[in-house]
Amino acid sequence: QVQLVESGGGSVQAGGSLRLSCVTSGNTRDHCMGWFRQAPGAEREGVAAIYNGGIGSTYYADSVKGRFTVSLDNAKNTLYLQMNSLKPEDSAIYYCAARAWGTLCIWDEGGKDFGYWGQGTQVTVSS
């Protein structure tokens, strides 16, 4: 059974940076590991994902390409999301998630295909 616990959220001004962490337990090898977010009144959307195997291919939403970086440290059982050049529209609850199948970690409809979820961490970006 995979369990996920996020941390690292907070409040920051536009242009600032935050790093989110997601400590994992259970076997996540050959899983897709992803970050998703949900703003008030909005649908959940995918942000970034990484395959925990092979060459560790990464995937990003167009809205965060060049600003966010997803990475894994298997020695620490931790998934990261480095967020730079933050914008007010990045404000949301951020969730980490895992999917036990597939090697192409392109998410479906806000992560409906991901079966394991953390509790979320709030990110607020002020202008």
Side-chain angles (χ1 to χ4, degrees):
Q1 184 76 5
V2 172
Q3 293 185 318
L4 308 167
V5 179
E6 305 98 331
S7 63
S11 297
V12 64
Q13 289 192 326
S17 298
L18 282 174
R19 187 177 77 161
L20 305 183
S21 300
C22 174
V23 175
T24 70
S25 59
N27 181 18
T28 60
R29 292 297 296 178
D30 300 320
H31 282 51
C32 286
M33 306 298 296
W35 287 98
F36 296 81
R37 67 187 181 187
Q38 188 166 22
E43 296 289 323
R44 187 174 63 200
E45 63 177 358
V47 175
I50 184 169
Y51 181 60
N52 190 9
I55 61 172
S57 298
T58 56
Y59 307 81
Y60 295 94
D62 287 343
S63 59
V64 306
K65 280 180 182 176
R67 300 189 298 124
F68 290 12
T69 303
V70 61
S71 62
L72 270 170
D73 185 338
N74 281 314
K76 295 183 178 180
N77 295 321
T78 304
L79 172 73
Y80 297 102
L81 184 68
Q82 177 67 44
M83 305 186 293
N84 298 329
S85 302
L86 282 161
K87 305 175 181 180
E89 52 264 43
D90 294 318
S91 297
I93 299 174
Y94 283 70
Y95 301 90
C96 68
R99 190 183 75 194
W101 55 268
T103 59
L104 295 177
C105 299
I106 299 172
W107 50 84
D108 181 38
E109 292 186 39
K112 289 183 179 179
D113 50 334
F114 279 64
Y116 302 100
W117 292 85
Q119 82 288 352
T121 186
Q122 177 73 48
V123 171
T124 302
V125 184
S126 57
S127 57

